[in-house]
Amino acid sequence: MVPGLRWLVGLLIASVIIAALYFGRDILIPLALAVLLGFLLDPAVSLLKRWGLPRMAATLLVVALSLGALTGMGFYLGKQVQSLSADLPTYQNTIKQKLRNLRTLSSGPGAWDGALKTYNAVEGEISAASAQAERSQPRVQKVEVIREDGKPLEIVMKWLGKVSEPVAMVGIVLLFVILILLDRDDLRDRLLRLMGGNMHVATDALDEASERIGKYLRMQFIVNVTYGIPMALGLWLIGVPGAILWGVLATIMRFVPYVGPMISAVFPIALAFAVAPGWDMLLWTLGLILVLELISNNVVEPWLYGASTGLSTLAIIMAATFWTALWGPVGLILSTPLTVCCLVLGRYLPGLQFMEVLLGSQPVLDAPHRLYQRLLADDVHGAIDVVQDAIAQRMPVKPTAADKGQALVRFYGDVALPALQLAYRHHSERATVGHRMRLSNGMEEVLEELQDEFPAQPSSAGAGLNGRVHCVGASWEVDALAARMVSHSLNLHGIHASCTGHALTTTVRPDETQDWADVQWLVVSAFHVQPQAMVRQLVRRLRRRHPNMPVILALWNATPAVLTTDFVERTGVNAVVTSMQELVLRMQQLLSPEQVAHGYVPAPLPEHDDERVQHLQRSGALLPVHWPAYKQLALKAANAFDVKYAQVSLVDHNWVHTPGSLLASSDGADGQAGLPRDLSICAYVVHEGEDVVVEDVARDPRFADNPVLTEAHVKFYAGVPLKNQQGMVLGSLCIMHDMPRRMNASDMDALHDMAKDLMERLREQGRVTQEPAAPAPPAS
């Protein structure tokens, strides 16, 4: 379809939908209100049903209790209003006296008296001229028609006509609520059928919509109650009559966005003005409302709401305006839940994806794209802001100097290099000369800023490493920029590295740049998708002058077809890496004699490891009574994630216990399943205290030559920590596969949920089981 025609069809469909919403509001408004109330009442109905009550009885009981509570509250508030109405005449003298005082203050001399006198004089002249003109016109007799009051029956019928409409709406809403609560599952099935044949997408969409709307309504109720109760208590202490009435009114009116809080504040302020002869009560009331608004809007709401709706602030305001224009005040109340439904539809239906872009609170551009765009726009300061935010997200709460360096290296790998990949991809397709110059100059300024902020210092991670590494770009300007990042990253890890400020093009020969006699390793960065011919030519030129210099090739943009075993042999390089982390780990391995001797990198021991092991042995997690549960969890995890292996790993002093593992592992002296701690990836989970994901084991120097993983053909690993109530990491729950793969955020959340369920089960069983822990087998 032609793009212009596609837009025209989209506008036509949107116009039809908006017209249907407007003209069908008499039916849609009660239905939407009923659905909203159904979200509020369904948890109570489901709870009563779990307690053994039939669904119909539970529904009628919940609805009856809700109506009873609303009716009782209505009677109480009505009595409060009646009592206040009876007392209002007694406040007339106070109101008159305050108005008289205000008039006296306003009638005194002021800074605008001269301007007002001038304005009054001009207005008098204009009025006199108008009066003279009117006297010259012929006088017109005015006739006023006075209608007689209708008969009593007509008055009653007219009054009933006005009352019947809201009463009928309440009845319809109540009927819809009961039907929705009774036939919830059937309605859900019908919606799933209407949404199409993809049951997975439809189920996820309905689950997310119900979860977001339900959480929003519950959080809004809690926020309103935490506002209304202090309001009533504060007004009672101040002495404002009807304090409970105004607290309840504030709780109810805050369900109406924007307008509701202002309406609920008018009544206590006006009453405080009318009751006390002085101004203290009014000022205290204003101060109370102001403090409650500040606390609620800036503390309570962000804390409780969080990302419950997923809507941006601008989207919420636009939605309130749109739905109010369509459905009036009721549309204002329903604006947020209805917009949440639109957001979820945009997330799961490709044709409505623009709604997620317009309404969602999540950034529509990831960090690499934002950095790339700021550089293209010649906004270096904006690019530095993006860089600082990305680095801050990768730092712990209280970072040390080493943590800051690690965060910067992760930024280079996660954000900066992908931004250069975009630059390479768009170099010949869309970028102009100006774009390329702005990108190059801007990235150089960003790198200079980062080198000044994160100066290279020897760290504990680089202790004992030796040798000098030189980093160069292969051909393009982006290659040279990547070489600067590599050099900075290696220096932050304590590896002495330098870089060349330009790429090794055909016009700049490697033997003409500088004396490389003291270079022990050369790292060449390349973004070319098919770099075979270029690399062969470059290595051939290098070998002529430096025949024994080892070369590490960093391919930042190579396809999987290039990363084959014979590629290293054909090009003559010593090793190939594809990520910043892999490069740093490979250089640490090559420059450390101990790691080269092992062929793999054992996980370091974390701090307080002896205390951690004591927690493990006292927890009862090593008891044989839990082994069937470990086996069942491993099978469940392998099936859910569609992987070949899964296991629960409990990391002891020198041994990792893996009872019930689906991966064939070694046996200890007592026949207990497990493997030495030095050979286990799970030991890294204990050391890091956080998730460890290795998408391709063969590309990670820490595990590429691990004999246990090689024998089992493990290519992928993802593990999450098993933490006790004291925060000690006892081991990990991990999944493994014989093919490389990736994990998204929802997959990791599911793995975390499994780990939490396991630890909760162990805690519950530990309250009953008090047997001594099994001794750990000796280290092999």
Side-chain angles (χ1 to χ4, degrees):
M1 184 182 293
V2 181
L5 183 60
R6 186 185 298 112
W7 277 102
L8 183 61
V9 172
L11 290 175
L12 180 62
I13 294 174
S15 302
V16 171
I17 293 175
I18 293 174
L21 290 173
Y22 179 76
F23 292 106
R25 60 186 182 275
D26 293 337
I27 299 176
L28 296 176
I29 288 178
L31 182 60
L33 285 172
V35 172
L36 190 67
L37 293 174
F39 278 114
L40 279 174
L41 300 179
D42 184 67
V45 175
S46 300
L47 179 62
L48 292 177
K49 185 180 178 183
R50 287 196 297 269
W51 287 354
L53 203 64
R55 186 165 189 86
M56 178 172 289
T59 300
L60 296 178
L61 178 60
V62 170
V63 173
L65 290 176
S66 302
L67 288 177
L70 292 175
T71 304
M73 184 181 299
F75 277 117
Y76 175 77
L77 296 180
K79 288 186 176 182
Q80 291 285 320
V81 173
Q82 185 179 3
S83 175
L84 285 174
S85 299
D87 295 337
L88 283 178
T90 63
Y91 306 142
Q92 291 181 2
N93 294 331
T94 305
I95 296 173
K96 291 179 180 179
Q97 182 63 35
K98 285 188 174 181
L99 292 176
R100 194 176 299 116
N101 295 337
L102 290 175
R103 192 179 302 113
T104 302
L105 291 174
S106 62
S107 62
W112 299 96
D113 287 350
L116 289 174
K117 288 180 180 179
T118 304
Y119 174 78
N120 292 332
V122 174
E123 185 181 18
E125 292 294 332
I126 295 174
S127 299
S130 300
Q132 184 176 0
E134 288 180 358
R135 284 194 297 269
S136 63
Q137 297 291 335
R139 302 187 66 178
V140 179
Q141 296 290 336
K142 294 183 178 180
V143 179
E144 183 179 357
V145 179
I146 302 176
R147 297 183 58 184
E148 295 184 358
D149 294 337
K151 298 179 180 179
L153 181 60
E154 294 178 356
I155 296 175
V156 172
M157 295 301 296
K158 185 177 180 181
W159 181 81
L160 288 177
K162 293 180 179 180
V163 175
S164 62
E165 184 175 351
V167 172
M169 177 175 286
V170 171
I172 295 173
V173 170
L174 181 62
L175 178 61
F176 278 158
V177 168
I178 295 175
L179 293 177
I180 288 173
L181 293 176
L182 285 176
D183 298 331
R184 185 196 66 171
D185 295 335
D186 182 66
L187 290 174
R188 182 186 182 88
D189 294 341
R190 294 180 185 277
L191 286 175
L192 289 172
R193 181 64 178 172
L194 288 174
M195 292 179 68
N198 193 332
M199 191 69 68
H200 300 86
V201 173
T203 301
D204 290 342
L206 286 180
D207 287 344
E208 183 174 347
S210 60
E211 180 183 359
R212 286 184 180 272
I213 295 175
K215 183 178 179 181
Y216 167 74
L217 293 175
R218 291 190 294 273
M219 292 302 102
Q220 188 177 32
F221 177 76
I222 295 174
V223 168
N224 294 356
V225 169
T226 56
Y227 182 92
I229 292 177
M231 168 74 81
L233 182 60
L235 294 177
W236 177 75
L237 292 174
I238 294 171
V240 178
I244 298 179
L245 171 63
W246 309 129
V248 174
L249 180 65
T251 302
I252 296 174
M253 292 304 298
R254 285 182 69 84
F255 280 100
V256 182
Y258 310 113
V259 181
M262 292 187 291
I263 295 176
S264 64
V266 169
F267 297 100
I269 292 175
L271 200 57
F273 174 81
V275 170
W279 298 94
D280 293 344
M281 182 177 290
L282 176 62
L283 295 177
W284 278 107
T285 303
L286 286 172
L288 173 66
I289 294 174
L290 181 60
V291 169
L292 289 177
E293 286 290 340
L294 290 175
I295 294 176
S296 180
N297 294 334
N298 298 291
V299 179
V300 179
E301 289 185 7
W303 175 45
L304 291 178
Y305 283 157
S308 59
T309 62
L311 299 174
S312 65
T313 304
L314 180 61
I316 293 175
I317 297 175
M318 293 175 57
T321 305
F322 174 78
W323 290 108
T324 304
L326 281 182
W327 288 357
V330 180
L332 181 60
I333 298 174
L334 297 173
S335 60
T336 299
L338 290 174
T339 310
V340 168
C341 294
C342 296
L343 172 69
V344 174
L345 288 176
R347 180 167 298 173
Y348 288 96
L349 298 181
L352 301 177
Q353 190 176 6
F354 70 93
M355 299 180 70
E356 183 186 11
V357 176
L358 293 176
L359 303 176
S361 60
Q362 297 297 326
V364 295
L365 294 178
D366 56 11
H369 282 83
R370 282 188 283 125
L371 176 60
Y372 180 56
Q373 188 277 329
R374 303 302 189 270
L375 295 175
L376 289 181
D378 201 17
D379 183 9
V380 179
H381 296 291
I384 293 175
D385 290 339
V386 173
V387 171
Q388 298 292 350
D389 292 341
I391 295 175
Q393 293 174 3
R394 288 159 175 80
M395 284 190 186
V397 179
K398 296 181 180 180
T400 62
D403 293 331
K404 294 179 180 179
Q406 293 288 342
L408 178 61
V409 174
R410 286 195 292 269
F411 161 77
Y412 280 149
D414 299 340
V415 179
L417 287 176
L420 293 183
Q421 289 176 348
L422 293 172
Y424 171 80
R425 193 179 310 150
H426 298 159
H427 183 272
S428 57
E429 298 177 0
R430 306 168 187 173
T432 63
V433 175
H435 291 148
R436 298 167 191 159
M437 290 297 298
R438 291 197 291 268
L439 174 77
S440 176
N441 296 334
M443 184 61 79
E444 287 182 356
E445 291 187 41
V446 169
L447 293 179
E448 289 176 1
E449 181 76 17
L450 292 177
Q451 289 173 349
D452 292 339
E453 184 177 355
F454 299 90
Q457 296 178 354
S459 64
S460 59
L465 301 183
N466 55 74
R468 181 172 178 270
V469 181
H470 189 66
C471 307
V472 296
S475 177
W476 301 73
E477 182 68 21
V478 291
D479 297 340
L481 293 172
R484 291 184 61 178
M485 299 178 192
V486 171
S487 173
H488 194 195
S489 299
L490 293 177
N491 279 296
L492 289 173
H493 281 81
I495 301 175
H496 182 203
S498 58
C499 68
T500 300
H502 49 76
L504 298 179
T505 60
T506 54
T507 58
V508 181
R509 298 177 59 84
D511 53 352
E512 296 174 353
T513 56
Q514 63 181 46
D515 185 11
W516 289 358
D518 57 344
V519 174
Q520 297 184 10
W521 289 92
L522 184 67
V523 178
V524 180
S525 293
F527 280 91
H528 205 287
V529 180
Q530 298 291 335
Q532 295 92 325
M534 178 187 66
V535 172
R536 282 198 300 268
Q537 181 183 7
L538 180 61
V539 172
R540 190 180 306 113
R541 289 159 50 196
L542 284 170
R543 298 297 186 214
R544 292 172 186 168
R545 184 176 180 87
H546 309 286
N548 298 320
M549 180 182 295
V551 178
I552 305 297
L553 181 61
L555 297 180
W556 309 119
N557 209 28
T559 60
V562 176
L563 304 175
T564 57
T565 305
D566 57 348
F567 176 81
V568 176
E569 300 177 356
R570 293 199 312 268
T571 55
V573 298
N574 295 80
V576 176
V577 296
T578 59
S579 68
M580 188 67 75
Q581 180 189 22
E582 182 184 352
L583 173 61
V584 172
L585 292 172
R586 179 66 69 182
M587 294 309 306
Q588 288 178 335
Q589 182 190 44
L590 294 173
L591 296 174
S592 175
E594 179 182 357
Q595 294 181 5
V596 172
H598 279 291
Y600 59 90
V601 184
L605 293 178
E607 296 183 2
H608 312 294
D609 190 62
D610 292 337
E611 181 182 358
R612 184 198 62 81
V613 172
Q614 291 177 4
H615 277 269
L616 170 64
Q617 295 176 350
R618 288 198 303 263
S619 67
L622 299 175
L623 296 175
V625 68
H626 301 304
W627 294 357
Y630 298 155
K631 180 73 171 183
Q632 182 180 5
L633 181 61
L635 292 170
K636 182 179 179 180
N639 179 67
F641 290 96
D642 193 22
V643 295
K644 194 171 183 179
Y645 309 117
Q647 70 183 24
V648 174
S649 301
L650 302 170
V651 181
D652 213 329
H653 276 295
N654 300 312
W655 188 261
V656 177
H657 306 268
T658 59
S661 172
L662 303 184
L663 178 67
S665 55
S666 306
D667 291 335
D670 58 354
Q672 193 172 4
L675 70 162
R677 182 171 178 173
D678 289 347
L679 295 174
S680 175
I681 301 184
C682 298
Y684 274 90
V685 179
V686 172
H687 172 257
E688 301 290 340
E690 57 186 20
D691 305 345
V692 172
V693 178
V694 184
E695 297 178 354
D696 189 352
V697 171
R699 305 229 57 84
D700 195 314
R702 297 171 297 177
F703 316 118
D705 298 324
N706 188 306
V708 174
L709 301 178
T710 303
E711 182 180 356
H713 304 287
V714 172
K715 300 293 185 182
F716 162 79
Y717 173 90
V720 297
L722 297 173
K723 295 184 178 181
N724 62 5
Q725 290 180 317
Q726 291 74 29
M728 292 290 179
V729 181
L730 308 184
S732 73
L733 171 64
C734 62
I735 56 175
M736 294 165 282
H737 200 49
D738 56 359
M739 294 290 293
R741 60 180 296 177
R742 293 185 175 182
M743 294 282 284
N744 55 38
S746 60
D747 293 339
M748 295 304 299
D749 290 340
L751 195 59
H752 274 286
D753 291 339
M754 289 184 176
K756 291 177 181 177
D757 292 341
L758 174 63
M759 295 306 298
E760 183 63 29
R761 187 185 310 173
L762 291 178
R763 282 192 290 269
E764 291 177 356
Q765 295 181 359
R767 298 187 184 102
V768 181
T769 306
Q770 298 295 335
E771 302 177 18
S780 60

